[in-house]
Amino acid sequence: MAESNCTQATEFSLTGFTEDPVTEVTLFLMFLLTYLVTILGNLGMVVLIRASPQLHSPMYYFLGNLAFVDLCSSTIITPKMLVDFLSEKKGIAYAGCVAQVFLFDLFGMTECFLLAMMAYDRYVAICHPLVYPLVMSPKCCFQLVAGSYLVGLTNGVGQTIGLSNLSFCGSSIINLFFCDISPLISLSASDTTLSRVILRTSASFFGVSSSLVVLVSYMAIISAILSISSAKGKRKAFSTCASHLTTVSIFYGTSLFMYLKPSSDSSREEDKWAAVLYTVVTPMLNPLIYSLRNKEVKEALRRL
């Protein structure tokens, strides 16, 4: 009866990071610089890959899509966060909150599978180089990328359906700097069973399966690298793996921590900084650690 008489919230308040004006200005400048580097790095990477024929290979095809996804996922979160740093009232409309949840979950899960596809691409290139052109054909690469977007869309729709079944009649304060499904579930005054099942199923099935692809691929890659007789070849291969695994560890580690942790821990302050890693920092780092250390990318830049 109480739930039927409640008035649905039309706006949510975001707590952000701090209420100290000096600290807010400092964080604003820091995140603004991070966002500008993210935009320039990822947009530049997309343009460079499309404009350079020598980069028209499966690895850079995946990398171009990863840069596009990073560009989109960062733009969903960071501009609103920057506005809130300069506003006294840190609020977001219900419709805007739903849209943010849908788009963020769509691109977030897409990135999970793109990272997994990139690991699989490296596995085929290092462990089965003779059949690489046949296995990673343009048609196969398109299907893998399209499948990644389809999984992301499925995740976004599922989380949005779970969110649409929730009622928010009491507190409308989200202890985070953006609308995320996990704190919204904790905030709801209605039965959250369906939403929690969708969240845990999605995180477990999609997230864990893509993580296993990365793990198994790199176990095979490391085994193949150890069999290389040249010390120089080993160093080069291990350097490439270390860069990829650094980003994968940050993205997967913080994501799985956020969505698979016990619900009783959902209000901890550490969650905000864990979320910063995969919403703000990782999209900025990806074009740097994947591309700027790559000789082919540097050569393409010089030619342009």
Side-chain angles (χ1 to χ4, degrees):
M1 180 67 70
E3 187 174 322
S4 62
N5 293 332
C6 79
T7 301
Q8 178 77 358
T10 58
E11 187 178 23
F12 295 100
S13 297
L14 304 171
T15 59
F17 296 93
T18 180
E19 294 183 357
D20 179 59
V22 177
T23 305
E24 284 192 328
V25 172
T26 303
L27 291 175
F28 170 81
L29 295 175
M30 181 179 70
F31 285 123
L32 176 61
L33 178 61
T34 302
Y35 183 58
L36 291 176
V37 173
T38 301
I39 295 297
L40 292 175
N42 287 290
L43 186 59
M45 188 54 54
V46 171
V47 173
L48 180 65
I49 291 173
R50 291 184 62 88
S52 304
Q54 66 268 34
L55 298 183
H56 292 177
S57 64
M59 181 177 72
Y60 294 106
Y61 178 67
F62 290 121
L63 181 59
N65 280 276
L66 181 67
F68 171 74
V69 169
D70 281 333
L71 185 65
C72 293
S73 61
S74 179
T75 301
I76 293 165
I77 303 297
T78 310
K80 179 67 174 71
M81 180 176 63
L82 293 174
V83 171
D84 287 341
F85 277 128
L86 303 180
S87 304
E88 291 186 7
K89 184 179 180 182
K90 300 175 176 61
I92 182 171
Y94 177 81
C97 192
V98 172
Q100 199 172 58
V101 167
F102 169 72
L103 292 172
F104 180 72
D105 286 336
L106 187 161
F107 288 112
M109 191 58 71
T110 300
E111 179 156 357
C112 279
F113 275 81
L114 283 176
L115 289 172
M117 295 306 102
M118 293 176 72
Y120 175 71
D121 172 73
R122 292 299 84 202
Y123 158 74
V124 178
I126 294 174
C127 300
H128 304 284
L130 297 180
V131 297
Y132 180 76
L134 178 63
V135 175
M136 302 305 296
S137 64
K139 180 181 179 181
C140 178
C141 291
F142 173 79
Q143 290 174 341
L144 292 174
V145 170
S148 299
Y149 283 104
L150 182 60
V151 171
L153 179 62
T154 302
N155 181 59
V157 171
Q159 302 298 349
T160 305
I161 291 174
L163 178 59
S164 65
N165 291 324
L166 300 179
S167 298
F168 302 95
C169 309
S171 174
S172 60
I173 300 176
I174 301 175
N175 189 26
L176 203 60
F177 56 92
F178 69 102
C179 282
D180 195 18
I181 186 64
S182 186
L184 284 168
I185 290 175
S186 302
L187 195 64
S188 175
S190 59
D191 182 11
T192 61
T193 302
L194 175 61
S195 299
R196 292 187 186 277
V197 168
I198 293 175
L199 176 62
R200 295 300 173 90
T201 301
S202 176
S204 300
F205 181 73
F206 292 138
V208 174
S209 62
S210 59
S211 301
L212 285 176
V213 172
V214 174
L215 181 62
V216 172
S217 296
Y218 269 95
M219 287 176 62
I221 288 172
I222 292 173
S223 177
I225 290 174
L226 292 176
S227 65
I228 298 175
S229 57
S230 169
K232 182 179 179 181
K234 286 182 178 181
R235 285 196 300 269
K236 182 178 179 180
F238 271 120
S239 176
T240 303
C241 293
S243 298
H244 186 201
L245 287 175
T246 299
T247 300
V248 166
S249 299
I250 294 174
F251 183 83
Y252 279 100
T254 53
S255 299
L256 293 176
F257 167 77
M258 286 291 292
Y259 297 112
L260 293 180
K261 68 184 187 308
S263 58
S264 59
D265 296 336
S266 59
S267 62
R268 295 186 304 178
E269 287 297 315
E270 305 93 88
D271 290 0
K272 296 179 183 179
W273 296 105
V276 167
L277 284 176
Y278 72 87
T279 59
V280 179
V281 177
T282 301
M284 177 191 69
L285 292 178
N286 280 345
L288 300 177
I289 65 177
Y290 278 118
S291 309
L292 296 184
R293 295 177 59 190
N294 188 293
K295 292 182 179 180
E296 291 180 337
V297 173
K298 292 179 181 179
E299 180 64 26
L301 283 170
R302 282 194 293 266
R303 291 182 180 181
L304 285 179

